[in-house]
């Protein structure tokens, strides 16, 4: 029986990846005048992000630096100061942006919170995630908030243990199969996948057919209460 | 009686601010050809850092962006791509650097750890602080590690409470009067100030004469065991 529910934040409770894709589109517009090949820009940015991930971690500041590095490298440093300033300005605007909740989030959290202790478990830059949470006004729904560097089985196990639960009593809800679903299944927990409209390339993963049978997929967080009331197993 | 000891990390256990001052010096060398006034560069960088602090938090990625913004603003965007690349490269080198412990840290932690549970309490960017801790090899000395966004009385109170201690049973050791000393005194804890060779400008604060009598100042972490053995009050 489920006794606690974890929620991912970015692209599960509020829109995030769309903003990053929007910044990436603007970067392409800036550089394409120098290089002429949009696909090359996307591929290079992705490679730079991957190269920097261990050093920069997740978040907008690291993304800003990776975009600037991409611009410098693809233009052989001919990108102008005004263009660099444009890149920084769009990241600053992103950090200043309001947080937009996904449809049905408030209603669902209100319902769930009355029945289960809820945990927010989000990967990313601590200050950015805390700031988004503050803007979202969702803090009161959660017993605890964990901003973690990586969502791996050990991290989930430590949260479950700290609550004195068995892994099978914990259910995680999120949009990323790689971060929210597979590591929770790995420790014997339950998971509900709610895909977002877009998935960050670094998070894309195809679950094995066996794993796919071990978690449910809902099309909206609005369906979570009915799912929890109807028992846990999704139709295979 | 003291039952637990907290240690700051940057400039208390390992060198940090000197690296930032070194980067700032290199930034000045880069821009001074455009503007001609080194003092103006320092003052502008400090203003940009302050402006960005709430958005970027502490750490090298935010510092990199603030340096780039400073370069763009002071040169009216005439700073070259090569010069921007130089700024990013020096931050990357900083992130790749080994961690250099201050003199006496290993010996002191070995002594203290055998007598008190030790906590590492550090402000900053989570991934950067965790990476420095890993490089330092000091993790085994600490019962717990807290990377926090701000060192204020509430944060210290929550750590002390979680350990089931009274504030008067907790002693904090650090180089920053603003972050490591005053907020701990404010909750009724004890504190030992060990000044570092340089203090980050944003951390500079002059304690009131009354506050100065409420904490001890040691010239080196090597003196901590003798201080702990001799009782807590420093000669006024």
């Amino acid at each position: 029986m489920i006794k606690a529910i974890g929620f991912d934040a970015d692209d599960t409770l509020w829109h995030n990846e769309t903003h990053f894709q929007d910044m990436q589109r603007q970067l392409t517009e800036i550089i394409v005048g120098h290089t002429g090949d949009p696909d090359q820009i996307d591929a290079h940015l992705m490679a730079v992000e991957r190269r920097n991930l261990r050093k920069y971690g997740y978040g907008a500041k690291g993304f800003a630096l990776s975009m600037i590095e991409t611009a410098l490298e693809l233009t052989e440093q001919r990108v102008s100061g005004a263009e660099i300033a444009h890149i920084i300005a769009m990241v600053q605007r992103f950090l200043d942006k309001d947080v937009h909740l996904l449809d049905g989030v408030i209603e669902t959290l209100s319902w769930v919170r009355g029945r289960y202790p809820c945990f927010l478990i989000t990967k990313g830059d601590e200050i950015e995630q805390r700031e988004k949470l503050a803007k979202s006004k969702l803090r009161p729904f959660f017993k605890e908030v964990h901003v973690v560097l990586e969502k791996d089985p050990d991290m989930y196990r430590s949260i479950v243990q700290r609550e004195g639960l068995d892994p099978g009593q914990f259910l995680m809800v999120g949009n990323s199969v790689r971060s929210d679903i597979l590591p929770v299944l790995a420790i014997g927990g339950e998971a509900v996948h709610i895909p977002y409209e877009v998935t960050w390339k670094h998070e894309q993963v195809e679950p094995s057919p066996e794993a796919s049978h071990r978690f449910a997929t809902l099309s909206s967080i609005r369906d979570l209460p009915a799912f929890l009331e109807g028992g846990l197993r999704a139709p295979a």
Side-chain angles (χ1 to χ4, degrees), chain A residues 16-128:
Chain A
N16 186 65
E17 179 58 18
T18 40
H19 298 308
F20 277 81
Q21 295 204 348
D22 194 49
M23 288 190 273
Q24 182 163 349
R25 236 180 331 264
Q26 290 181 59
L27 174 72
T28 301
E29 282 167 25
I30 292 169
I31 315 183
V32 79
H34 294 277
T35 69
D37 181 353
D39 290 344
Q40 188 205 3
I41 299 168
D42 286 348
H44 197 86
L45 175 63
M46 192 168 166
V48 171
E49 280 187 278
R50 194 179 302 117
R51 172 182 89 194
N52 287 334
L53 192 55
R54 199 163 154 255
K55 240 178 272 188
Y56 293 166
Y58 301 96
K61 295 188 294 284
F63 188 62
L65 290 171
S66 289
M67 285 196 290
I68 295 170
E69 290 169 45
T70 299
L72 289 165
E73 289 166 19
L74 288 181
T75 67
E76 290 165 351
Q77 304 185 338
R78 279 176 290 101
V79 61
S80 72
E83 289 164 332
I84 301 277
H86 184 150
I87 293 172
I88 293 178
M90 72 193 190
V91 173
Q92 291 245 357
R93 274 198 308 278
F94 165 73
L95 291 171
D96 282 333
K97 255 196 203 358
D98 285 341
V99 159
H100 295 285
L101 299 183
L102 269 75
D103 181 57
V105 162
I106 296 274
E107 300 87 325
T108 300
L109 287 179
S110 302
W111 187 95
V112 176
R113 200 248 320 234
R115 289 158 178 84
Y116 304 88
C118 296
F119 296 82
L120 190 74
I121 306 173
T122 173
K123 182 174 72 177
D125 184 271
E126 177 106 12
I127 196 166
E128 290 174 27

Side-chain angles (χ1 to χ4, degrees), chain A residues 65-227:
Chain A
L65 290 171
S66 289
M67 285 196 290
I68 295 170
E69 290 169 45
T70 299
L72 289 165
E73 289 166 19
L74 288 181
T75 67
E76 290 165 351
Q77 304 185 338
R78 279 176 290 101
V79 61
S80 72
E83 289 164 332
I84 301 277
H86 184 150
I87 293 172
I88 293 178
M90 72 193 190
V91 173
Q92 291 245 357
R93 274 198 308 278
F94 165 73
L95 291 171
D96 282 333
K97 255 196 203 358
D98 285 341
V99 159
H100 295 285
L101 299 183
L102 269 75
D103 181 57
V105 162
I106 296 274
E107 300 87 325
T108 300
L109 287 179
S110 302
W111 187 95
V112 176
R113 200 248 320 234
R115 289 158 178 84
Y116 304 88
C118 296
F119 296 82
L120 190 74
I121 306 173
T122 173
K123 182 174 72 177
D125 184 271
E126 177 106 12
I127 196 166
E128 290 174 27
Q129 299 307 94
R130 298 268 171 198
E131 186 72 18
K132 283 187 274 192
L133 178 60
K135 288 177 184 168
S136 78
K137 311 262 197 283
L138 295 179
R139 180 66 186 85
F141 288 105
F142 298 100
K143 183 176 172 200
E144 275 188 39
V145 173
H146 300 278
V147 182
V148 299
L149 290 179
E150 264 315 334
K151 286 177 159 176
D152 52 28
D154 284 345
M155 185 280 295
Y156 285 110
R157 195 178 290 115
S158 79
I159 290 179
V160 166
Q161 281 175 352
R162 204 180 317 173
E163 293 302 311
L165 298 172
D166 290 329
Q169 299 171 320
F170 177 75
L171 172 80
M172 182 71 191
V173 177
N175 74 298
S176 168
V177 171
R178 185 171 90 84
S179 295
D180 304 316
I181 310 300
L182 298 181
V184 177
L185 298 181
I187 66 162
E190 304 281 347
V192 168
H193 182 219
I194 307 178
Y196 184 62
E197 51 194 87
V198 289
T199 301
W200 187 34
K201 279 188 182 154
H202 299 275
E203 290 287 327
Q204 282 170 9
V205 72
E206 207 54 57
S208 66
E210 303 76 46
S212 304
H213 286 98
R214 295 182 47 220
F215 64 88
T217 300
L218 302 178
S219 61
S220 162
I221 200 167
R222 280 194 185 284
D223 302 332
L224 189 62
F227 173 78

